[in-house]
Amino acid sequence: MLSQPATPHIGILYEDNHVIVVEKPVNILSQADDTQDADMVTLLKQDLKERYAKPGNVYVGLVHRLDRPVGGAMVFAKTSKAASRLSDVVRTHKLGKTYMAVVHGRPAKTNGTLTHHLLKDVRTNTVRAVAPGTSGAKEARLSYEVAGMSGDMTLVRIELHTGRPHQIRVQMKTIGCPLYGDQKYGADRNKPGQQIALWSVQLSFPHPTTKEVMEFRSQPPMEYPWNLWDPAIYSSC
């Protein structure tokens, strides 16, 4: 297990010969796109190449994604075999993902499961909830629990059951609780420049070779609005 940062901006939560679990900084892409902006896969390849003085290509496999403005725990594969096995983990819903989010308003219930059908518009890179049976729409499910309230904002613990694009952001908006700082799905409630308050706080999965279930935690930065609540609340999820 290594404790030194993978880069000056990426902290390593765990690393062995098969996987590397890191804390993704906000506003970094999970994988390269047409913008040519910094992305996690490229940054980790560069880091591994430098730290281990590898002369050739370095393998880093993307297992799951976090939206660009979202930070927190992510796992990447260091071998193609590990990538294949972890892809099966994702496909069979054995990758546990828990998030914390700060939303505007309060959900009608303190806990529950949300099920929507989401349709993505690839031209605008936006997602919306549509009627069941809509062509191209995919079912999205998550469970949530209110963890705290402060004024008109609510801290919510969220467990994903499916991994649809922008899922948490769209489903919470659909019930009238857009995320703090979300410019895409809450522009009417947020100010330009605010950072979205969504963090991957817990990640669990069976190791690709040992099959041991591993669990990792990551705390959001103690900045507004996260600092409206006691830091201990983020480690008790």
Side-chain angles (χ1 to χ4, degrees):
M1 182 171 179
L2 304 179
S3 58
Q4 70 266 35
T7 75
H9 306 292
I10 301 174
I12 294 177
L13 301 178
Y14 176 85
E15 182 183 0
D16 61 24
N17 291 332
H18 310 279
V19 300
I20 180 168
V21 183
V22 300
E23 197 167 64
K24 174 187 173 298
V26 299
N27 299 323
I28 299 292
L29 293 165
S30 291
Q31 186 178 34
D33 64 9
D34 293 338
T35 65
Q36 298 185 341
D37 291 340
D39 71 279
M40 293 296 295
V41 171
T42 301
L43 290 173
L44 289 174
K45 283 182 177 180
Q46 292 173 345
D47 168 70
L48 292 172
K49 187 177 181 66
E50 293 172 4
R51 275 198 292 130
Y52 296 107
K54 291 182 176 289
N57 293 328
V58 174
Y59 183 90
V60 173
L62 184 71
V63 176
H64 63 115
R65 291 175 172 80
L66 291 179
D67 289 350
R68 180 172 184 156
V70 180
M74 285 188 78
V75 57
F76 294 83
K78 291 178 65 177
T79 67
S80 58
K81 180 178 289 187
S84 176
R85 291 177 177 176
L86 287 172
S87 293
D88 286 339
V89 167
V90 173
R91 181 179 54 80
T92 55
H93 307 292
K94 294 177 182 175
L95 179 68
K97 293 180 286 185
T98 303
Y99 296 79
M100 297 295 279
V102 180
V103 303
H104 291 283
R106 300 180 183 180
K109 298 179 179 180
T110 56
N111 61 79
T113 298
L114 303 180
T115 301
H116 295 96
H117 288 76
L118 304 184
L119 182 65
K120 183 174 182 178
D121 185 335
V122 294
R123 296 169 301 174
T124 60
N125 190 32
T126 57
V127 178
R128 59 190 174 94
V130 296
T134 301
S135 177
K138 295 181 178 180
E139 184 180 271
R141 289 185 300 110
L142 62 78
S143 297
Y144 74 88
E145 178 183 5
V146 171
M149 292 180 289
S150 179
D152 188 42
M153 289 195 291
T154 305
L155 181 66
V156 184
R157 181 180 297 109
I158 296 169
E159 183 179 352
L160 279 181
H161 303 304
T162 56
R164 309 305 183 197
H166 304 176
Q167 179 179 338
I168 294 173
R169 300 160 67 183
V170 176
Q171 289 197 268
M172 296 308 294
K173 177 196 175 183
T174 302
I175 66 168
C177 297
L179 269 63
Y180 173 89
D182 192 345
Q183 308 300 323
K184 182 168 287 190
Y185 299 107
D188 58 330
R189 304 287 293 273
N190 296 306
K191 297 178 181 179
Q194 289 179 332
Q195 178 64 47
I196 190 171
L198 179 59
W199 199 266
S200 171
V201 295
Q202 185 178 25
L203 190 68
S204 63
F205 57 90
H207 191 275
T209 59
T210 67
K211 308 304 180 187
E212 175 190 359
V213 176
M214 310 183 77
E215 181 179 302
F216 303 95
R217 295 174 183 266
S218 171
Q219 283 202 180
M222 284 298 97
E223 302 169 354
Y224 189 87
W226 299 112
N227 59 7
L228 291 173
W229 294 275
D230 189 315
I233 202 168
Y234 303 111
S235 59
S236 63
C237 62

